[in-house]
Amino acid sequence: QVQLVESGGGLVQPGGSLRLSCSASGFTLDYYAMGWFRQAPGKEPEGVSCISKSDGESYYVDSVKGRFTISRDNAKNTVYLQMNSLKPEDTAVYYCAASEMISNVQEMCVMMYGDMGQGTQVTVSS
């Protein structure tokens, strides 16, 4: 059973940084593509970043390119999202996602495909 627990969210000023963590259990992380999705108030959900099972191929939505970095540590069963130069429009609930079936990371993010955790709130405000 896939279980995902996100942490690291909070309140940060514009221009600040946060690192989100996703602790995975109930499955072997090596065999899963992983991702981060988000839902902002009044907006459609979107796939922010996804990373492949093994070779580290990654995808980023245009609005976060150059500011966010996704990484994974399979030995620790953990996936990270380093978020720098945060903007108010990054305010959202961020969800970790896992997919065993899909291998194309762009497709995973665009289609928002996979099992998700409960989410962690990120608020960017002065």
Side-chain angles (χ1 to χ4, degrees), residues 4-8 18-24 29 34-37 48-51 58-60 67-83 94-97 120:
L4 303 166
V5 178
E6 302 92 339
S7 61
L18 283 175
R19 188 176 81 156
L20 304 183
S21 298
C22 171
S23 178
L29 195 65
M34 301 295 294
W36 290 93
F37 306 154
V48 176
S49 181
C50 294
I51 189 167
S58 58
Y59 165 87
Y60 297 92
R67 300 189 297 122
F68 290 11
T69 302
I70 190 171
S71 61
R72 60 192 296 159
D73 186 336
N74 290 348
K76 295 183 177 179
N77 284 343
T78 304
V79 180
Y80 305 97
L81 185 68
Q82 178 67 42
M83 305 187 296
Y94 284 72
Y95 300 90
C96 180
T120 185

Side-chain angles (χ1 to χ4, degrees), residues 20 34-40 44-51 58-70 80-83 86 89-97 105-106 108-113 116 122:
L20 304 183
M34 301 295 294
W36 290 93
F37 306 154
R38 69 184 178 187
Q39 172 120 53
E44 292 293 317
E46 67 175 348
V48 176
S49 181
C50 294
I51 189 167
S58 58
Y59 165 87
Y60 297 92
V61 70
D62 285 346
S63 59
V64 308
K65 284 180 180 177
R67 300 189 297 122
F68 290 11
T69 302
I70 190 171
Y80 305 97
L81 185 68
Q82 178 67 42
M83 305 187 296
L86 282 161
E89 51 263 44
D90 294 317
T91 295
V93 178
Y94 284 72
Y95 300 90
C96 180
V105 291
Q106 180 173 349
M108 180 180 178
C109 263
V110 171
M111 301 301 293
M112 294 186 61
Y113 188 85
M116 295 193 293
V122 172

